[in-house]
């Protein structure tokens, strides 16, 4: 191969590798793929799959600030590209010109941050890496409105039902629109009668008209018999709607009220399926004029009609014409069906004209031999064989087994692994963890095979099983065909994968103290800047899997991994305000810590549970009492009788005392809070914990403000600000927080000018580092102070900006800013009219 072509391959590889993991790579990804399509398709697929896998690893490493891993991956990617490009040029030297053009364009992006495409110039936010040096932090992209949540509506190929019911549903909606109220419809029927199908059919018919947010929830019992809490469902809905965690009320009743306030912004659609008791429903109804709430249940719940005004619809069996049509379509009965009229009627009778039973029977006919129609008719006509013939689990297996048995061995193996995975959604990285002996090309090949077989489908950055019954079937196959030892090994790899993922993410998000007997966090300390929003987004994508793995590890007796998994989710739950799953997972973790007989693990889980209840702070749910109990239990465990506490015990003692101090302040006892803070600070004597001392100074300053000890408050809050700024990794968020607290103290001390100056400094810090929600809160406060000082022009500007930022953060607090502006305008108008009267 000519030396010039070798140099070209090396140059292009180096330049393209520099864009991997950045938004610039997206612009070139298709070009790179198109070049390799000139060669063998199989090699192109394998190479691009491996490149995409390495790119995903690199992105995660950069988000977590793991520069050591980045330093390993960048040369690996470059070497992979160099080798493939050399092979491509060996086979097709004529592509050298296109590669030179690609090299020039990519180099322009890396050098200048711009890309010219046609007549448009795009600005790229690439990282700049030079010889493995530190990364330039990624610049924030302009924020865009999050897409509205929508209910997934799959095509219903064989839907059959009474059209008059759908027309009655239309009439209820029309009446609601005319009366200016929400339309609430309640479909009830026996299992298999099609309550969910008719609700989704109606939504599909009207999908072009229903333009607002769409939210759904299953209210049926989980595999352990528990009913979901409406408060937890609202918590999830708020996340889907993009509501700031700081706006979400802790009290369940207040959450429901807040949801209705959100819904008041415009029509909304709510689908509540498998309702068991009527009390589940009311907190989840929007009530906004033009909104629609669809409720399905297998129970008769007259309370829904009485309390929420739901219009009831009873799902009756299908008419015989519709039953026969459904059987013919699902059963793929071709040609003249008059020859089977008697048999089809017998089958419909045996199915009770219920859609689910008819679909099960139809699936048997579709997969059966020519005489199966008469056989099934006979079985369903005999009471002693009817139930066995319609046994759902067996029928699902009968429908799916042929496809499973027809899979190639590797694809069948992955299918069984997916059955052992505790959630129907999974990322490509967990496939690699479950099947570590498969290379990238083989893994991608079997994923394509399962996709082609309609067993899984791509879902955002990962995959999902097409139906929960398929997931159940995959588990049954694993239990039947996978030796117990092999199953346990797969479960071990699944749990270990998510444990590493959770602990790496936790290390990236917080430097707080963790109980770490395995030394994991010491190895995962970030060595570069962290993209915290992207880390949180990656946790959110895997949240169902992570939470199910906590339960799986607990049930399988992997107790050490259970409490470590929960500990790894602490900061994620805290930052996102996810109180319900926080408490649920950590209660399991506490049980597992007891099983491990690890006193420090038990103490840490008590502390973290106490903090979860402290953050939620719902008096109706007893959070103040429960938080206190957990903090006090932690203290008892970390205070040894001989007084020789380890550093871990002293840190946990300090944290629990901090929690008790925060609790006392919330209860209106700032003097007691100060006592707890003093003890907590004392527990840190001799320990290098600068951040902990800064937090105690902040807490003490706030408590002193409550006690009107303003000189002390000023000293503590000034000290807190300086300590946060002087940390090894400065904390501008808490620096601005200390300044804001100082401004509140100065306002209470009747020094508004000093308060405004403090907020000026806080705004300067937060303009560079702060999210919109926090900046808006500071501006709202500064506007209030400026207005009280008579500076209405600056106050108005602050309120307008605060309102815009609150709206950007999707917060209803924008209404507070709007009300201040309206009040100020009204006062101005009133003054103006009086002046006119005097004249």
């Amino acid at each position: 191969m000519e030396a010039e072509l070798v140099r070209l391959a090396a140059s292009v590889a180096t330049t393209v590798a520099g864009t991997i993991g950045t938004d610039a790579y997206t612009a070139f990804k298709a070009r790179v793929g198109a070049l390799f399509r000139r060669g063998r398709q199989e090699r192109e697929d394998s190479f691009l799959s491996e490149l995409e896998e390495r790119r995903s690893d690199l992105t995660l490493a950069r988000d977590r600030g793991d520069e050591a891993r980045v330093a390993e991956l960048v040369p690996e990617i470059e070497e992979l590209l160099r080798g493939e490009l050399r092979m491509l040029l060996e086979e097709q030297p004529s592509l050298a010109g296109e590669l030179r053009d690609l090299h020039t364009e990519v180099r322009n992006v890396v050098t200048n941050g711009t890309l010219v495409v046609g007549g448009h110039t795009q600005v790229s936010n690439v990282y700049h890496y030079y010889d493995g040096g530190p990364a330039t932090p990624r610049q924030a992209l302009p924020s865009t409105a999050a897409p509205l949540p929508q209910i997934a509506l799959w095509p219903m190929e064989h839907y059959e039902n009474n059209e008059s019911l759908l027309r009655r549903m239309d009439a209820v909606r029309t009446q609601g629109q005319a009366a200016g109220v929400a339309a609430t419809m309640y479909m009830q029927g026996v299992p298999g009668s099609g309550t969910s199908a008719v609700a989704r059919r109606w939504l599909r018919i009207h999908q072009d008209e229903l333009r607002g947010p769409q939210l759904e929830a299953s209210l049926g019992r989980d595999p352990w018999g528990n009913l979901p809490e409406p408060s937890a469902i609202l918590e999830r809905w708020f996340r889907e709607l993009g509501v700031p965690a700081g706006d979400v009320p802790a009290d369940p009743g207040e959450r429901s009220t807040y949801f209705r306030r959100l819904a008041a912004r415009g029509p909304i659609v709510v689908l509540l399926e498998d309702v068991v008791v009527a009390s589940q429903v009311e907190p989840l109804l929007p009530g906004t004029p033009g909104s629609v709430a669809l409720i399905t249940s297998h129970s008769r719940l007259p309370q829904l009609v009485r309390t929420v005004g739901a219009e009831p619809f009873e799902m009756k069996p299908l008419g015989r014409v519709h039953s026969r049509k459904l059987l013919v379509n699902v059963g793929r009965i071709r040609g003249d069906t008059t020859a089977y009229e008697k048999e089809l009627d017998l089958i419909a009778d045996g199915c009770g004209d219920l859609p689910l039973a008819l679909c099960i029977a139809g699936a048997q006919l579709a997969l059966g031999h020519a005489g199966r129609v008469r056989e099934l008719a006979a079985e369903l006509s005999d009471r002693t064989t009817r139930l066995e013939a319609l046994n759902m689990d067996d029928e699902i297996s009968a429908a799916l087994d042929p496809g499973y048995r027809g899979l190639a061995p590797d694809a069948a193996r992955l299918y069984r692994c997916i059955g052992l995975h505790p959630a129907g959604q999974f990322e490509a990285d967990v496939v690699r963890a479950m099947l570590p002996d498969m290379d990238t090309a083989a893994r991608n090949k079997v994923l394509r095979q399962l996709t082609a077989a309609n067993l899984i489908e791509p879902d955002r950055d990962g995959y999902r099983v097409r139906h929960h019954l398929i997931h159940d079937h995959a588990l049954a196959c694993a239990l039947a065909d996978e030796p117990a030892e092999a199953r346990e090994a797969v479960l071990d790899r699944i749990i270990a994968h998510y444990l590493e993922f959770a602990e790496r993410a936790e290390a990236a998000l917080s430097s707080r103290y963790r109980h770490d007997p395995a030394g994991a966090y010491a190895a995962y300390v970030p060595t570069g800047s962290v993209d915290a929003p992207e880390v949180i987004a990656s946790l959110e994508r895997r949240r169902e899997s992570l939470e199910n793995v906590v339960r799986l590890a607990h049930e399988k007796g992997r107790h050490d991994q259970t409490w470590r998994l929960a500990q790894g989710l602490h900061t994620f739950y805290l930052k996102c305000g996810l109180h319900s799953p926080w408490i649920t997972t950590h209660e399991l973790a506490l049980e597992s810590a007891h099983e491990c007989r690890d006193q420090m693990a038990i103490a840490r889980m008590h502390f973290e549970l106490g903090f979860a209840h402290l953050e939620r702070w719902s008096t109706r749910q007893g959070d103040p009492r429960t938080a206190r109990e957990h903090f006090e239990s932690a203290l008892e465990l970390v205070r040894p009788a001989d007084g020789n506490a380890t550093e871990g015990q002293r840190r946990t003692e300090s944290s629990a005392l901090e929690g008790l101090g925060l609790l006392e302040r919330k209860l209106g006892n700032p003097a007691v809070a100060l006592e707890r803070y003093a003890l907590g600070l004392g527990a840190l004597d001799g320990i290098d914990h600068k951040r902990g001392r800064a937090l105690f100074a902040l807490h003490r300053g706030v408590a002193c403000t409550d006690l009107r000890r303003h000189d002390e408050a000023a000293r503590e809050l000034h000290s807190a600000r300086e300590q946060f700024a002087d940390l090894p990794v400065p904390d501008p968020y808490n620096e601005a927080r200390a300044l804001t607290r100082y401004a509140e103290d100065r306002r209470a001390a009747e020094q508004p000018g000093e308060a405004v100056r403090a907020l000026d400094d806080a705004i300067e810090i937060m303009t560079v580092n702060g999210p919109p929600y926090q900046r808006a809160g500071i501006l709202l406060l500064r506007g209030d102070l400026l207005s009280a000082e008579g500076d209405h022009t600056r106050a108005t500007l602050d309120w307008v900006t605060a309102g815009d930022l609150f709206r950007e953060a999707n917060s209803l607090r924008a209404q507070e800013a709007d009300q201040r502006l309206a009040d100020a305008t009204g006062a101005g108008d009133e003054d103006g009219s009086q002046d006119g009267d005097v004249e």
Side-chain angles (χ1 to χ4, degrees), residues 12-73:
V12 174
T14 301
T15 308
V16 172
T19 71
I20 298 287
T22 75
D23 64 334
Y25 176 67
T26 306
F28 300 115
K29 182 178 176 181
R31 290 276 302 281
V32 173
L35 282 168
F36 280 94
R37 288 189 188 93
R38 310 289 181 87
R40 296 194 305 274
Q41 179 72 32
E42 183 177 349
R43 195 183 78 198
E44 175 253 330
D45 285 345
S46 175
F47 160 64
L48 291 180
S49 295
E50 185 173 357
L51 183 62
E52 188 64 22
E53 190 172 285
R54 300 281 182 88
R55 186 197 67 80
S56 178
D57 291 344
L58 181 63
T59 300
L60 276 174
R62 282 179 174 163
D63 291 339
R64 293 168 174 157
D66 187 355
E67 295 300 327
R69 181 62 176 146
V70 169
E72 293 174 2
L73 285 166

Side-chain angles (χ1 to χ4, degrees), residues 540-607:
E540 181 63 41
R541 288 193 298 272
R542 296 165 175 82
R543 183 180 146 199
E544 181 185 3
S545 297
L546 286 161
E547 290 170 0
N548 286 350
V549 164
V550 173
R551 186 178 290 277
L552 174 67
H554 177 73
E555 291 181 345
K556 294 294 183 181
R558 275 74 159 180
H559 294 300
D560 179 70
Q561 291 169 307
T562 302
W563 69 257
R564 286 176 59 190
L565 276 160
Q567 180 177 243
L569 295 173
H570 174 99
T571 302
F572 168 59
Y573 285 147
L574 171 64
K575 287 182 176 292
C576 296
L578 296 170
H579 304 120
S580 297
W582 187 356
I583 291 168
T584 301
T585 55
H586 281 67
E587 285 174 343
L588 290 175
L590 179 59
E591 292 179 20
S592 283
H594 278 287
E595 291 291 334
C596 294
R597 293 182 171 82
D598 184 331
Q599 292 294 93
M600 270 301 295
I602 297 170
R604 293 303 299 181
M605 293 307 101
H606 272 301
F607 161 70

Side-chain angles (χ1 to χ4, degrees), residues 787-808:
S787 178
E789 288 286 278
D791 192 343
H792 300 299
T793 301
R794 287 183 63 199
T796 298
L797 180 59
D798 276 356
W799 290 334
V800 168
T801 308
D804 290 342
L805 289 170
F806 277 134
R807 274 181 279 274
E808 181 182 339

